[in-house]
Amino acid sequence: MRRAKKVPKTSNKAAEPHDDLFLKYKEVSEDRIGPEGVEKLCRDLQVDPSDRKVLLLAWKMGAQQMGFFSKSEFEQGLRLLSAHDLPTLKASLNQVAIKVDNDPDIFQSFYQFAFKFCLTEPRQKIIDIDTCIQMLSIVMTNQAHLQPFIDFLQHQKEYKFINNDQWMGFYRFSLEVAPDCSDYDEAQAWPLLLDNYVDYRQKHRI
């Protein structure tokens, strides 16, 4: 009795729409999107690589390394954004930008991510002042203390690096202290960096 030929098994798993998108930008030799792929994605989204929306995308992906998106990160980000192609991704990022600016809890999560995203070395816990200034300029919009604080950071000579406590301290400061610092209370144990910022504002009357 002749045996019946085995029928090759076929996968029941249908290809996800975002699989094609990932393949379009991934590196040839690695299962990830690298700097060149990220730049190409930015061009297709019609945004500059330094645009806030790129950081929002990295945040939604939970990206661990600046300039790189793993396949799992990319898939997670597109699922959270309910995006399956470039038009839906672009529209979703526009909506996320609105939500971030209108929900303090969502913004705080994004703001915290931005600092951690800059930690590029193992056990790194600080970022340099220039990186801090660049990241603040991307993350924050229409915040009264932003430009005066950046001016202070650019003129002061004492601090070369910023740690997470100082980074998050400025976030709380921006929420709680009046634009002219008139209600600033040193007794609240702010980071010394912010004491110096207030002194700078008062000295220069800005």
Side-chain angles (χ1 to χ4, degrees):
M1 184 175 178
R2 297 178 63 185
R3 291 183 180 180
K5 291 183 178 180
K6 290 184 178 180
V7 178
K9 291 183 179 180
T10 56
S11 174
N12 293 324
K13 183 180 179 182
E16 296 287 346
H18 48 64
D19 286 346
D20 290 339
L21 204 56
F22 177 78
L23 291 172
K24 181 178 181 180
Y25 301 109
K26 74 179 289 292
E27 295 179 338
V28 175
S29 58
E30 298 284 344
D31 201 27
R32 66 180 183 179
I33 297 173
E36 290 185 7
V38 172
E39 288 189 13
K40 183 178 179 182
L41 174 61
C42 290
R43 287 196 299 270
D44 290 347
L45 289 171
Q46 298 178 319
V47 296
D48 188 87
S50 63
D51 192 280
R52 190 176 190 231
K53 291 175 183 176
V54 181
L55 186 61
L56 286 168
L57 178 59
W59 170 55
K60 281 298 182 180
M61 289 183 179
Q64 297 296 307
Q65 185 178 5
M66 192 174 291
F68 297 88
F69 298 143
S70 69
K71 185 176 182 180
S72 61
E73 289 170 350
F74 192 77
E75 290 173 346
Q76 170 185 296
L78 265 61
R79 280 196 299 269
L80 290 175
L81 292 166
S82 299
H84 57 272
D85 55 19
L86 288 172
T88 55
L89 178 56
K90 191 172 184 177
S92 295
L93 287 173
N94 289 335
Q95 291 301 311
V96 170
I98 294 171
K99 289 180 180 178
V100 163
D101 288 334
N102 287 280
D103 188 317
D105 291 334
I106 295 177
F107 178 81
Q108 182 174 353
S109 174
F110 174 54
Y111 183 88
Q112 177 71 82
F113 168 82
F115 181 86
K116 293 180 179 178
F117 195 50
C118 293
L119 305 178
T120 57
E121 301 295 332
R123 299 183 180 180
Q124 182 181 345
K125 295 183 178 180
I126 55 177
I127 60 176
D128 63 80
I129 289 295
D130 288 341
T131 300
C132 175
I133 290 172
Q134 291 171 8
M135 194 56 70
L136 283 173
S137 300
I138 294 171
V139 175
M140 285 189 155
T141 57
N142 302 320
Q143 215 298 318
H145 285 290
L146 177 60
Q147 193 55 53
F149 187 63
I150 288 176
D151 291 341
F152 160 70
L153 291 177
Q154 291 173 330
H155 285 87
Q156 60 82 37
K157 303 298 183 183
E158 182 177 355
Y159 297 91
K160 304 297 183 184
F161 300 93
I162 295 292
N163 61 36
N164 186 65
D165 287 342
Q166 293 165 328
W167 175 266
M168 294 308 297
F170 178 64
Y171 167 71
R172 184 167 66 89
F173 184 99
S174 68
L175 293 178
E176 299 179 11
V177 179
D180 62 357
C181 300
S182 58
D183 57 354
Y184 181 71
D185 183 3
E186 293 183 5
Q188 291 190 30
W190 295 100
L192 181 59
L193 173 72
L194 294 173
D195 290 334
N196 293 345
Y197 164 62
V198 174
D199 290 343
Y200 173 83
R201 293 283 305 271
Q202 293 173 343
K203 179 180 179 180
H204 295 274
R205 297 181 181 180
I206 57 176

